[in-house]
Amino acid sequence: MRLWFIFLLPLLCCLSSRVRSEEDYSDVTVIVRGSETIASTSDMFVCATIDWWPPEKCNYDQCPWGRASVLNLVSSKNIPFYHVAFGVSARTKFCSFCEFSQDLTNPLLAKAIQAFSPLRIRVGGSLQDQVLYGTPNLGSPCDPFTKVSGGLFGFSQGCITLERWDAINDVFLNTGAVVTFGLNALQGRQQISRGVWGGPWNSSNAREFMEYTVSMNYPIDSWEFGNELSGSGIGASVGAEQYGKDLVELQTIINELYGDSRKPLVVAPGGFYDQKWFAQLLEVSGPNVLNAMTHHIYNLGAGNDPQVPNRILNPQYLSQTSNTFRDLQLTIQRHGPWSAPWVGEAGGAYNSGSRLVSNTFLNSFWYLDQLGQSAKYDTKVYCRQTLIGGNYGLLDTDTFVPNPDYYSALLWHRLMGNGVLSMDISGSPFLRAYVHCGKQKGGVALLLLNLHRSMGFMVSVRNDLNANVAEGQGIRRDSDFVHGLKRTVSWVGSKASDGYSKREEYHLSAKDGNPFARTMLLNGVPLELTEDGDIPPLYPVEVSVNSPIYVAPLTIAFVVFPDFEAEACGR
């Protein structure tokens, strides 16, 4: 049934655009400057986190973390392998799901990670600096977190056993995940005043944990040092001078443990950007110690703030984060050009996210927009809070079913290449646009976000090198034919002049037109797990490059031009 529907989609799209009145859409021109890139991302730009929060973590009279912690994700007390989204009959239909999980081998979790091939996973979060490692010389019982009055974030110290670490690494190895692990940077320090901690880092427990990790050949890509201890900190802070000295010690430990083999990166501080503190950290730690500066962003406000939906659709509000990306880029250039900017954690709304927004289609607008903004300022990695857990998980905490942002992340990962291009755009600020070199098929990939609730956009995409080539190709720009189409034709260069070249379009919309829907549509087809629990295929529609790109109100479109002439992209 779906095959005929997908076949007709290009025709339906064109027909629907023709019957719309001019009042329904606005004209926008995008000119892509393909001669050089302005920034670049890493191959594993898209990243997701796994946090430490236990089930007792609550905000706003709700406790949305369930058993999604590093310490208990899919433990024996969790849900069955089959998930409630399949319904009761699924228990007998999918026998592979019909047992209670004893470890981290839930197939839905594994398949969600494997679909990225690979996905970077950052293990860390607020309780990171209270984590002990259950090594032989720990000297105390290896107990989980418990709620305590007066504890940092209301919890005691917690411990991860080596057996649990083995189980987690089995998942990472089996799914091909690329791992960034956050170390406890408070160990050994003393609180010297309210929220301020001093003294050197005691590295003994972390070193023994790292020794075990190396002995087991667990391929850690990067070790991150601390979580939200920079500047004034969140709950606790450490001065930049001492932090920089401790980073030098961490780098020394890595050099000793890894010898001549490939060494993991050192990344820090995993906190909110503070220009003076970040600059001092780079200067104290010195050249080639800190490979990446990780910073956190939660720009939408508290999870219970009723203004969160309005902020997501406010282009001026969204653009404010560019200041942070720009400032961090300049700080690194001036004080530590050997380092690179990473977003180590970003969840939109803080305090576990918004229960009514963070797991809905609407949330993809700020998320994809921030991916695009950060990439323009040379951000190499962007870690979404979270892969699973809280209200902002890419996967539902209880069912492991992907939320809409999962598919947004997957499409970005598959389509948007490393090279970031500049562009000029005319028209309404409610149409956000970002362009990269294409990842799979060359050319360029364009992301279009229509934030307007009622206005659609007809988009003309032009190549700055060929914006005026039409007349030279035998088509006069002022001819009756061209005049009638000038608002909708995509001029992408001489390779598209014969009219036979195609582009690929991936239009994302909300089920039933409800922006708060938990189901996302791709070209009109619901994105749902297959009967075997697999991630569904993400098929585009192929459209002639000389047909209009229509971006409906409150929709998102990825558009790939495989034959676009962009010198910087090798075409």
Side-chain angles (χ1 to χ4, degrees):
M1 291 291 291
R2 289 186 178 182
L3 291 177
W4 68 264
F5 181 71
I6 292 172
F7 177 79
L8 288 176
L9 270 172
L11 177 60
L12 293 174
C13 292
C14 293
L15 288 174
S16 63
S17 65
R18 289 176 182 173
V19 299
R20 293 180 180 274
S21 66
E22 292 191 7
E23 290 76 16
D24 289 328
Y25 66 85
S26 177
D27 295 319
V28 173
T29 299
V30 172
I31 298 178
V32 177
R33 304 197 175 278
S35 59
E36 62 180 0
T37 57
I38 59 171
S40 64
T41 65
S42 73
D43 290 335
M44 289 155 290
F45 175 66
V46 173
C47 163
T49 69
I50 298 178
D51 211 308
W52 294 95
W53 287 121
E56 295 80 13
K57 162 64 173 175
C58 303
N59 296 104
Y60 320 123
D61 298 321
Q62 53 173 312
C63 305
W65 286 87
R67 304 187 69 83
S69 165
V70 179
L71 297 180
N72 57 34
L73 179 59
V74 197
S75 72
S76 58
K77 295 181 181 179
N78 206 351
I79 60 170
F81 266 48
Y82 72 90
H83 52 89
V84 297
F86 282 157
V88 176
S89 61
R91 187 177 182 95
T92 56
K93 188 173 184 180
F94 306 115
C95 61
S96 62
F97 299 149
C98 302
E99 57 182 286
F100 280 80
S101 168
Q102 301 298 321
D103 49 23
L104 285 151
T105 57
N106 185 295
L108 301 184
L109 176 66
K111 289 175 180 180
I113 297 173
Q114 288 170 333
F116 282 82
S117 186
L119 175 65
R120 178 185 293 276
I121 294 178
R122 178 237 183 191
V123 179
S126 296
L127 298 183
Q128 171 180 319
D129 297 302
Q130 295 169 251
V131 176
L132 301 176
Y133 314 110
T135 58
N137 295 319
L138 175 62
S140 62
C142 191
D143 295 327
F145 295 105
T146 58
K147 287 187 72 68
V148 294
S149 61
L152 194 59
F153 302 108
F155 288 90
S156 68
Q157 287 187 324
C159 180
I160 180 171
T161 66
L162 295 183
E163 291 78 12
R164 183 65 180 173
W165 184 228
D166 292 338
I168 293 170
N169 277 280
D170 283 345
V171 174
F172 293 157
L173 290 168
N174 291 333
T175 59
V178 175
V179 182
T180 297
F181 186 89
L183 292 167
N184 179 345
L186 276 186
Q187 185 68 9
R189 306 188 201 274
Q190 301 296 321
Q191 187 170 359
I192 57 178
S193 63
R194 184 177 177 84
V196 179
W197 293 62
W201 174 51
N202 184 338
S203 62
S204 59
N205 185 227
R207 181 187 180 107
E208 195 169 12
F209 177 71
M210 295 168 71
E211 285 177 344
Y212 177 80
T213 301
V214 173
S215 72
M216 298 298 290
N217 292 316
Y218 295 148
I220 303 301
D221 172 83
S222 39
W223 294 100
E224 185 177 31
F225 188 62
N227 183 85
E228 298 181 350
L229 302 174
S230 57
S232 58
I234 303 296
S237 66
V238 176
E241 183 173 355
Q242 181 61 58
Y243 214 100
K245 294 176 181 178
D246 297 330
L247 280 177
V248 174
E249 180 178 356
L250 175 59
Q251 181 64 266
T252 300
I253 292 171
I254 290 175
N255 290 339
E256 292 174 356
L257 295 181
Y258 287 87
D260 296 331
S261 60
R262 179 193 175 277
K263 295 178 177 62
L265 302 177
V266 173
V267 300
F272 293 95
Y273 176 66
D274 179 301
Q275 193 280 330
K276 182 178 179 180
W277 197 100
F278 274 53
Q280 187 178 5
L281 182 68
L282 287 167
E283 292 171 353
V284 172
S285 57
N288 304 316
V289 171
L290 185 58
N291 303 113
M293 296 204 81
T294 48
H295 68 115
H296 295 180
I297 294 182
Y298 288 88
N299 62 309
L300 297 180
N304 66 343
D305 191 327
Q307 291 302 313
V308 168
N310 292 330
R311 290 173 184 150
I312 289 175
L313 297 179
N314 184 331
Q316 289 77 27
Y317 189 90
L318 293 179
S319 293
Q320 292 174 9
T321 55
S322 286
N323 296 328
T324 300
F325 298 129
R326 181 186 301 109
D327 291 349
L328 176 57
Q329 183 186 40
L330 291 174
T331 296
I332 291 174
Q333 290 173 351
R334 293 169 180 170
H335 300 277
W338 53 84
S339 192
W342 287 21
V343 173
E345 189 179 304
Y350 59 82
N351 287 344
S352 303
S354 172
R355 181 175 59 88
L356 301 177
V357 179
S358 297
N359 53 12
T360 71
F361 173 78
L362 181 67
N363 207 58
S364 280
F365 286 97
W366 82 263
Y367 176 42
L368 287 172
D369 186 74
Q370 204 164 99
L371 289 176
Q373 282 191 58
S374 63
K376 287 171 60 177
Y377 294 98
D378 222 31
T379 299
K380 303 304 182 185
V381 171
Y382 185 106
C383 295
R384 167 62 181 268
Q385 176 83 344
T386 61
L387 174 62
I388 187 167
N391 292 308
Y392 37 35
L394 297 180
L395 306 177
D396 182 90
T397 303
D398 296 323
T399 67
F400 292 80
V401 174
N403 285 319
D405 282 1
Y406 173 87
Y407 295 109
S408 296
L410 187 57
L411 279 169
W412 177 290
H413 179 74
R414 291 181 177 179
L415 302 178
M416 305 291 277
N418 298 353
V420 184
L421 302 174
S422 65
M423 49 172 280
D424 297 320
I425 182 169
S426 67
S428 170
F430 285 90
L431 183 70
R432 313 278 283 186
Y434 301 95
V435 61
H436 286 222
C437 294
K439 191 166 189 177
Q440 295 181 340
K441 299 184 178 180
V444 301
L446 176 67
L447 169 63
L448 299 167
L449 306 164
N450 185 353
L451 308 180
H452 206 286
R453 292 176 171 86
S454 58
M455 178 67 71
F457 294 99
M458 282 290 193
V459 182
S460 299
V461 181
R462 303 183 183 183
N463 188 326
D464 68 320
L465 301 177
N466 298 285
N468 297 312
V469 300
E471 184 173 350
Q473 294 168 358
I475 302 176
R476 290 185 295 109
R477 295 293 298 278
D478 58 350
S479 70
D480 290 340
F481 175 74
V482 175
H483 180 72
L485 291 180
K486 67 181 180 179
R487 292 178 302 176
T488 58
V489 169
S490 300
W491 302 98
V492 296
S494 58
K495 290 184 180 181
S497 63
D498 58 9
Y500 292 105
S501 295
K502 301 289 186 180
R503 67 171 184 261
E504 297 176 350
E505 297 187 0
Y506 303 78
H507 290 267
L508 303 176
S509 58
K511 185 178 181 180
D512 299 325
N514 176 13
F516 299 102
R518 298 286 300 276
T519 299
M520 174 185 278
L521 308 182
L522 171 59
N523 296 324
V525 178
L527 288 172
E528 299 172 336
L529 296 178
T530 70
E531 291 186 347
D532 295 323
D534 294 326
I535 301 300
L538 305 179
Y539 294 128
V541 292
E542 288 192 346
V543 184
S544 168
V545 293
N546 289 330
S547 63
I549 302 174
Y550 180 75
V551 188
L554 289 186
T555 66
I556 299 165
F558 288 91
V559 185
V560 178
F561 296 89
D563 296 316
F564 197 100
E565 295 181 15
E567 182 179 352
C569 301
R571 295 295 294 262

